[in-house]
Amino acid sequence: MSKKENLNQWFYETMLKIRLFEEKIIDVYARGLMPGLAHLYIGEEAVATGACATLEPSDYITSTHRGHGHCIAKGGDLNKMMAELFGKKTGYCRGKGGSMHIADTSIGILGANGVVGGGIPIATGAALSSKLRKSNQVTICFFGDAASNQGSFHESINFASVHKLPVIYVVENNQFGISVHQSRHQNIQDIADRAVAYGIEGKVIDGNDVLAVKDAVGQAVAKARSGEGPSIIECKTYRWRGHHEGDPNQGARYRDPKEIDDWKKKCPIARFEKYLKSEHGYTDETFKATRAKIQQLIEDAVEFARSSPEPDLEVALQDVYYEGGRN
Amino acid sequence: MSKKENLNQWFYETMLKIRLFEEKIIDVYARGLMPGLAHLYIGEEAVATGACATLEPSDYITSTHRGHGHCIAKGGDLNKMMAELFGKKTGYCRGKGGSMHIADTSIGILGANGVVGGGIPIATGAALSSKLRKSNQVTICFFGDAASNQGSFHESINFASVHKLPVIYVVENNQFGISVHQSRHQNIQDIADRAVAYGIEGKVIDGNDVLAVKDAVGQAVAKARSGEGPSIIECKTYRWRGHHEGDPNQGARYRDPKEIDDWKKKCPIARFEKYLKSEHGYTDETFKATRAKIQQLIEDAVEFARSSPEPDLEVALQDVYYEGGRN
Amino acid sequence: MAQMKLVEALNSALREEMERDERVFVLGEDVGLYGGIFGVTQGLYKQFGPERVIDTPISEAAIAGAAVGAAVTGMRPVAEIMFIDFITIAMDQLVNQAAKMCYMFGGNVSVPMVIRVPAGTGRSAAAQHSQSLEAWLMHIPGLKVVCPSTPYDAKGLLKSAIRDDNPVVFIENKITYNLSGEVPDEDYTIPIGKADIKREGQDVTLLATGNMVHYSLKAADELQQEGISCEVIDPRTLRPIDYETIINSVVKTSRLAIVQEACRTAGPGCEFAATVQERAFDYLDAPIIQIAGMDVPIPFNPKLEKTVVPSVEQIVREVKALF
Amino acid sequence: MAQMKLVEALNSALREEMERDERVFVLGEDVGLYGGIFGVTQGLYKQFGPERVIDTPISEAAIAGAAVGAAVTGMRPVAEIMFIDFITIAMDQLVNQAAKMCYMFGGNVSVPMVIRVPAGTGRSAAAQHSQSLEAWLMHIPGLKVVCPSTPYDAKGLLKSAIRDDNPVVFIENKITYNLSGEVPDEDYTIPIGKADIKREGQDVTLLATGNMVHYSLKAADELQQEGISCEVIDPRTLRPIDYETIINSVVKTSRLAIVQEACRTAGPGCEFAATVQERAFDYLDAPIIQIAGMDVPIPFNPKLEKTVVPSVEQIVREVKALF
Ligand SMILES: Cc1ncc(C[n+]2csc(CCOP(=O)(O)OP(=O)(O)O)c2C)c(N)n1
Ligand SMILES: Cc1ncc(C[n+]2csc(CCOP(=O)(O)OP(=O)(O)O)c2C)c(N)n1
Ligand SMILES: [Mg+2]
Ligand SMILES: [Mg+2]
């Protein structure tokens, strides 16, 4: 279902896609099918979904180590994503990138990023580029609460504010940088307050409310497109899983499991289901049907990934320098 | 005259020392006696003077490429400074540092710095150290308006705010980073507003008013010493000379000479003389006598530097690793 | 003597140094409550509290810079940068500040700090979490660079690094964290700047660091079967380098193969090869070879990842080709 | 043909490329209104306006990163980092992002950007404004590294760098800015990856970059007087390296001396020495020597500064000792 046809359905399907994709990763990772690190986005689906709802395919995003959600919301191909996570030849990066380095520039995904804060200057440069090319594109730059302490955050937003670049800095405040709670990594509650330092607008919203995200980001996107420059939108949310699959007991070293339970009650998907029911006449049956459809897409992606070949060894030696593109 | 005995006299002498030292450099540099780069502080004397007035000898400062004023105000030895500028063996750094690298840890000067923003993390670490050692020392970190756009600014102040470190970030807003006016390098007018980003206090003051600087920094120092954490104090001021001696026509490429004239009317020393006259009964004679005394110190320093030997060539190979100290 | 893993040896070095000298403290991302992403600082937060085991914001430049500032004012910080790849963000503080202060300031300032950096491949962590950048650090006057390969060396060298009056970059090869070995119960140090002959031999010298030491030892076993006797040297310190031990070995064996994970071009092995050929030219019976990481970023797929760094088989093959 | 300074040659390369291709733009600190601290961008602001000649805040990481982001979205940025010493602040964007994106993303993304960096000694600018850090950049797969020594090479190579689809670090040896030379009036490029024989000779090969090319040529004149015929090669590109030209020369001369300003240990010369001894082992009549910067930070005092980098006399002396 496309955004234009039926936005509510798109919201629902996109959040579910992310959730079910990630839940599948838990299983796949535990079974040793996915090498490397898996940083899951479960609980934060409304942010990527609401934000990307406001974009055109030609618009850009930059993403993070926790990037599956952004990629799916911007229209990434589930098969190529899953194959990449498996390290297969058919993956987005021919098996050379993995979870932290998926990109698809044909739909504006300028890359996940293994460096915390690493995508922020890149987003800024993409926005500069679209300004210079007068292409009317905007860029959404996703990053976490802890990334807002990197120098790259400060330098980039200052740069963008001087040149009034069309970029929206979307902070996914899930309250932790690995194990360090926000209260221990910064002396403020609302990261959006940092907008003051750049003379731009900053807004705090409930990041588990897909409609609120869409509205706030949508306004910022409209501003950016009309040449009024960057904004910071802070989305308060929470990650349900450990920092990565392998973080013992979902992070019990640094947080109370009860906190997780409390946040599960604020599940962005359950919340949106309630809304769909009460405002748009959705029923449990429609939910079930949608869920089954999406689950099938995920199973297909796993099957695609599983049955895809490993990259040939010489692939390891290719693409150090640009060879003309592979797609 | 020491601070404790007669603060007003100390203010006056210190500002004059800086002014006359720098005016001498203009001459010395033009005659080719000083190699490398000379970034002069003329016009900004009230900032270093007012700020350092609040410190004990055991307190720390970090300085910048434009560091002579900070060094003098913190009690640096004029002979050793001048000799260092001449590259002589008797200089602070045995001729190996030059203008941008003078340090004297025995009186808390942790170094000028050739890297814009490079001293900010170091000041933060010094403050962390004094907190850990419970030594009751504070650190003043000097830097320019343009340095406030470096990532190191952001990371350091965030760090200090989390740990409530005893450090005062003194922004010398002389309105330019080399040729780029503040309005072209950041989208705000008051850099002190950036304090909001760290949940700390920020204040803007007239940086040409030595008393105002002393008051504002003094309050911040008191706060820092009592464990209440860091502050940002922004001092609005102006550099009269070019970015360095060699910047054509005192920066005519990027600013209207009239602007310089307007600021000369706000000379911090002339202004303080007026105050001393009207409030403390100083006369032109006392000014003249003080000036003559200071001028002599500067001449002595030049003579000391001039007549000092060049470092032996093997000095170039020493001190790559610590050899136990040279003083 | 106790048997322990390398990660435990590092942990006990930190603990003992913090007990011995209250100027020593630890800072870095997730080193406190979490105990370090690789567990090196496990338990220290509990024992020494949040003031001496500091969880920092994600701000690598500030971490390194805070260490510099603390070091020049009387403390002995041990900072962790979570992956060597992120040292890229801290290079100004490390290279322009820490490494140069003593010199720039005329010898009057010492900077006794350690930066610990996990490095290397083997965890499918891809191009931004798997580099071996020791060559950069070896190039900088004013830095010392250490890279242990065994629990014994790790503990003794980390203590020396902490007691050194200069900035030391302490490189921990991630894949060796779980290697076990004997470690004395009593306090000991291993001097910075001393290589170790891990195996004596006659026919060829293998020079290797980190995990490549263990690969080289395995290769040496296999080569012994074929009648080739390998001397395996671990320089342990990459700056300053103990050329005396290395040259003596090459004078004896007349052949040198350098084994490293780092990329070949302008990598650490080039330093060794360039210096040894200059100092032992007349003793060499064959060109010095480098069995090195390929000149590519590290790929994610584990098979590809294995392909681009040396293997035991490759070492055996290439060393045999020297004869 | 016109006679012009190297700084003017760079300026005209930028101007012509900006005229030719509207995707090319310039960004950096004081590159606009001021025309660049060394004057390389003089006049461009006036001609092309503030949108294509962007004065940035002092934010090296953001400058490099903005270039990366612009490059992957269809532009061809040319960023200036005012001194190579400050590239330390931009290394994440350069090394972890720009250099690795094409590879990490499976070959589908190109990053056509240039970072220009003035480098080297000679201006009494002391330890934080005088480094030669090319060895770091040479070590990174995915980067190309260029370093011209003449106005002709500078212009032709900068054009090639701008037209290249990969990130290129363009090192400008500060002391050569004022050197004059002939530059063609018409458009021309010099291929990246091709060395240039600056002087033909028979007895020894001198390999040098930047200002050391000119020192080596002077030394070659003097050595000629004493009957030693030097071949002087400027690799011009430091990654990828044209080993064909270099090895052919060494095969002919049987002797190689590398001349560089950079510090010796783990410096650029080690790469050359290591590779040449491996590939031309049987042709060498003497050890490959490096006439290199000493392993110290650069001191401020001009006499000390001169002491720590090679001089013409030192080259003459050390090359003579090879015979
Ligand atoms: C520069 C850098 N430093 C450290 C890390 C290790 N690391 C990976 S994710 C992470 C926490 C990031 O927190 P946040 O930005 O809030 O994002 P979240 O994981 O919560 O989504 C850290 C420290 C890294 N990848 N890059
Ligand atoms: C990291 C870094 N980037 C660039 C420079 C070159 N540079 C020296 S001073 C300066 C301007 C600094 O402006 P500001 O911080 O306002 O201090 P001011 O010179 O006005 O006192 C620049 C760009 C440098 N020294 N370090
Ligand atoms: Mg977070
Ligand atoms: Mg300024």
Side-chain angles (χ1 to χ4, degrees), chain C residues 129-241:
Chain C
H129 285 75
S130 307
Q131 289 170 89
S132 297
L133 295 173
E134 59 270 24
W136 284 7
L137 304 158
M138 291 166 66
H139 188 44
I140 302 302
L143 294 183
K144 297 188 179 181
V145 184
V146 168
C147 179
S149 66
T150 67
Y152 175 75
D153 289 349
K155 181 165 180 180
L157 282 165
L158 183 52
K159 287 193 166 207
S160 290
I162 291 171
R163 297 179 195 181
D164 201 284
D165 281 335
N166 299 284
V168 181
V169 182
F170 193 92
I171 299 174
E172 300 167 6
N173 195 197
K174 294 195 286 275
I175 216 70
T176 64
Y177 276 134
N178 286 322
L179 288 181
S180 283
E182 297 269 289
V183 174
D185 298 322
E186 65 283 1
D187 183 45
Y188 71 99
T189 59
I190 292 175
I192 288 178
K194 279 300 296 169
D196 188 42
I197 300 175
K198 294 292 183 199
R199 174 189 175 119
E200 299 210 359
Q202 302 301 325
D203 302 331
V204 56
T205 303
L206 305 190
L207 187 72
T209 45
N211 194 38
M212 291 299 126
V213 173
H214 304 288
Y215 278 23
S216 297
L217 288 169
K218 280 197 198 118
D221 281 343
E222 294 190 25
L223 286 158
Q224 190 67 57
Q225 309 282 317
E226 318 213 14
I228 297 174
S229 159
C230 300
E231 180 140 306
V232 178
I233 297 185
D234 177 356
R236 297 194 296 198
T237 301
L238 295 172
R239 183 177 188 113
I241 297 168

Side-chain angles (χ1 to χ4, degrees), chain D residues 197-258:
Chain D
I197 301 177
K198 295 291 184 200
R199 174 189 176 120
E200 299 210 358
Q202 302 300 325
D203 301 329
V204 56
T205 303
L206 305 189
L207 188 72
T209 45
N211 194 40
M212 290 299 126
V213 173
H214 305 289
Y215 277 24
S216 297
L217 288 169
K218 280 196 199 115
D221 281 344
E222 294 190 26
L223 287 159
Q224 189 68 57
Q225 310 282 318
E226 318 215 14
I228 296 174
S229 159
C230 300
E231 181 141 306
V232 178
I233 297 185
D234 177 356
R236 297 195 295 198
T237 301
L238 295 173
R239 184 178 188 114
I241 297 168
D242 177 7
Y243 273 117
E244 198 186 330
T245 300
I246 297 167
I247 301 277
N248 283 343
S249 175
V250 173
V251 165
K252 176 174 70 174
T253 64
S254 305
R255 282 177 173 78
L256 176 61
I258 299 154

Side-chain angles (χ1 to χ4, degrees), chain B residues 11 15 41 44-54 140 142 168 170-172 203-221 233-237 268 271:
Chain B
F11 278 146
M15 288 199 289
Y41 197 65
E44 312 185 26
E45 297 87 349
V47 180
T49 303
C52 290
T54 68
I140 288 183
F142 292 104
I168 300 91
V170 173
V171 187
E172 309 186 301
K203 246 189 214 158
V204 181
I205 51 171
D206 181 343
N208 283 16
D209 179 353
V210 70
L211 298 173
V213 174
K214 188 243 159 196
D215 284 348
V217 175
Q219 284 167 28
V221 164
I233 309 286
E234 177 184 5
C235 305
K236 307 273 194 191
T237 184
R271 173 183 183 149

Side-chain angles (χ1 to χ4, degrees), chain A residues 44 65-66 143-147 172-178 180 185 239:
Chain A
E44 310 184 28
H65 58 286
R66 197 176 303 289
F143 54 88
D145 50 300
E172 309 186 302
N173 185 351
N174 64 11
Q175 311 185 34
F176 286 92
I178 305 192
V180 182
H185 71 61
R239 88 171 132 71

Side-chain angles (χ1 to χ4, degrees), chain D residues 70 116 125 161 220 262 304 308:
Chain D
R116 295 182 31 251
L304 298 191
V308 306

Side-chain angles (χ1 to χ4, degrees), chain B residues 17-267:
Chain B
K17 248 188 225 168
I18 300 173
R19 173 70 53 92
L20 298 181
F21 186 92
E22 299 289 65
E23 284 180 348
K24 180 55 78 178
I25 299 300
I26 296 174
D27 171 53
V28 151
Y29 193 83
R31 289 196 285 137
L33 294 171
M34 174 188 163
L37 291 163
H39 303 90
L40 301 188
Y41 197 65
I42 296 178
E44 312 185 26
E45 297 87 349
V47 180
T49 303
C52 290
T54 68
L55 297 184
E56 302 296 324
S58 59
D59 289 327
Y60 299 119
I61 65 165
T62 61
S63 169
T64 68
H65 58 286
R66 198 178 301 289
H68 308 158
H70 312 133
C71 189
I72 291 173
K74 189 67 173 59
D77 182 293
L78 294 183
N79 288 2
K80 287 190 189 172
M81 282 180 69
M82 191 65 85
E84 187 57 37
L85 301 191
F86 278 59
K88 295 300 181 71
K89 185 178 179 170
T90 53
Y92 260 123
C93 315
R94 311 170 79 209
K96 298 204 280 189
S99 169
M100 286 193 288
H101 304 298
I102 292 176
D104 184 347
T105 51
S106 73
I107 49 170
I109 302 173
L110 301 181
N113 210 308
V115 178
V116 170
I120 313 180
I122 297 172
T124 307
L128 175 64
S129 162
S130 49
K131 185 184 173 203
L132 291 173
R133 288 183 287 105
K134 301 186 182 26
S135 66
N136 211 28
Q137 294 158 291
V138 304
T139 300
I140 288 183
C141 176
F142 292 104
F143 54 88
D145 50 298
S148 77
N149 300 325
Q150 282 288 32
S152 61
F153 165 96
H154 177 68
E155 294 191 3
S156 301
I157 306 186
N158 183 63
F159 189 112
S161 73
V162 171
H163 294 283
K164 291 210 179 306
L165 301 183
V167 49
I168 300 91
Y169 298 97
V170 173
V171 187
E172 309 186 301
N173 184 350
N174 64 9
Q175 311 185 34
F176 287 92
I178 305 190
S179 69
V180 181
H181 188 264
Q182 191 199 350
S183 59
R184 298 204 297 136
H185 71 60
Q186 51 194 203
N187 191 38
I188 51 171
Q189 293 209 325
D190 294 333
I191 298 168
D193 286 352
R194 292 190 167 173
V196 170
Y198 315 105
I200 63 173
E201 205 179 338
K203 246 189 214 158
V204 181
I205 51 171
D206 181 343
N208 283 16
D209 179 353
V210 70
L211 298 173
V213 174
K214 188 243 159 196
D215 284 348
V217 175
Q219 284 167 28
V221 164
K223 259 184 62 180
R225 262 198 237 286
S226 67
E228 290 171 62
S231 313
I232 298 176
I233 309 286
E234 177 184 5
C235 305
K236 307 273 194 191
T237 184
Y238 196 79
R239 88 170 133 72
W240 294 7
R241 306 286 303 169
H243 170 67
H244 60 93
E245 293 303 290
D247 186 352
N249 296 318
Q250 316 311 333
R253 282 189 202 169
Y254 54 84
R255 63 183 181 178
D256 188 340
K258 187 174 164 313
E259 190 176 274
I260 308 177
D261 289 338
D262 289 348
W263 275 93
K264 284 190 176 169
K265 291 180 196 132
K266 303 184 204 163
C267 172

Side-chain angles (χ1 to χ4, degrees), chain A residues 39 44 64-66 114-117 143-148 150 172 174 176-178 185 239 243, chain C residues 29-30 58 60 82-83 86 89 129:
Chain A
H39 302 92
E44 310 184 28
T64 67
H65 58 286
R66 197 176 303 289
V115 179
V116 170
F143 54 88
D145 50 300
S148 78
Q150 283 286 32
E172 309 186 302
N174 64 11
F176 286 92
I178 305 192
H185 71 61
R239 88 171 132 71
H243 172 66
Chain C
E29 294 158 13
D30 306 284
I58 307 183
E60 281 78 10
M82 202 180 279
F83 288 79
F86 311 146
I89 308 176
H129 285 75

